[in-house]
Amino acid sequence: MSGSRVAALVVAAVVVAASPAAAWAQQPETRSAAATRWSTVTGLGHFVYDEPNMVGHRIWFGVSAFSTADGSTYGQFLYRHERADGTLAEQGRADVTCLRVTGNVALLTAIVPEGEGAVRNHGYYVKIIDGGRLPDVIVDAQAQNGDEPPPTHCLDPETDLPPGNPQRPRYPILAGGYAVHGAEPSRTGTGHQSRP
């Protein structure tokens, strides 16, 4: 890959870290990156939790992440969590440490740097299903306040949680969306009717 191509992708990651909405401006570059054997996920999405103690909490996730054929991963993950009454619960950024794309599904792990935020050993494990013409779908799980740093490899929040953890729900993206591109040819127009 040329140095200018790598520089453009790094700039794309920095732009989304500064402004999640700018991820949309990077989609043409993302398509080009996919053609050169990079897996990518970019976008900004909003959804609402419907879980005990979090009914009506509004969540925004912004991501710009790239993974090479050899598994090297680069990217930023932005998060904002508002309680049902609109007050801010938390917001910040995390470094993407793993991205795995299969068809229209991206699994990513993002670790909040130590010293940022009020939560220790904080990691996000996110599954994004690019719905094509249908709404995208997201599943998330978090590790936080543990005694050891959270895992940095990709985990599917629907299948890879420790035994005894409740099944994580799927949430439709209500505003915004994500573009998922794998280095290999991906399925198109499959939507999210099946459970990838």
Side-chain angles (χ1 to χ4, degrees):
M1 173 168 290
S2 73
S4 63
R5 173 81 57 185
V6 171
L9 292 172
V10 171
V11 168
V14 171
V15 167
V16 79
S19 171
W24 296 110
Q26 300 305 321
Q27 286 186 5
E29 180 63 34
T30 299
R31 282 189 215 99
S32 175
T36 59
R37 312 291 296 159
W38 285 64
S39 294
T40 65
V41 59
T42 59
L44 172 67
H46 167 251
F47 61 101
V48 178
Y49 276 145
D50 182 21
E51 301 174 43
N53 301 319
M54 289 213 217
V55 173
H57 286 218
R58 296 183 293 269
I59 309 298
W60 286 263
F61 286 159
V63 64
S64 181
F66 312 88
S67 180
T68 65
D70 71 1
S72 299
T73 301
Y74 311 91
Q76 292 289 304
F77 179 80
L78 304 176
Y79 57 92
R80 181 174 175 89
H81 176 168
E82 292 180 359
R83 298 176 188 91
D85 65 6
T87 59
L88 181 65
E90 64 177 320
Q91 70 177 7
R93 70 163 196 89
D95 298 318
V96 177
T97 59
C98 179
L99 172 64
R100 189 170 69 221
V101 174
T102 305
N104 65 331
V105 178
L107 296 178
L108 68 94
T109 296
I111 305 299
V112 178
E114 272 307 305
E116 287 195 27
V119 178
R120 290 179 50 249
N121 294 322
H122 196 177
Y124 288 89
Y125 305 90
V126 180
K127 181 178 197 174
I128 296 172
I129 303 165
D130 184 340
R133 294 180 184 208
L134 299 173
D136 296 341
V137 174
I138 200 162
V139 184
D140 75 304
Q142 296 181 50
Q144 53 189 354
N145 289 323
D147 292 330
E148 297 181 16
T152 59
H153 59 278
C154 285
L155 296 172
D156 185 326
E158 290 188 295
T159 61
D160 294 337
L161 297 181
N165 282 291
Q167 177 73 33
R168 297 296 304 148
R170 287 184 168 200
Y171 291 106
I173 297 300
L174 303 174
Y178 302 93
V180 173
H181 297 283
E184 300 300 323
S186 65
R187 298 174 294 175
T188 57
T190 57
H192 61 274
Q193 292 86 356
S194 62
R195 291 187 67 88

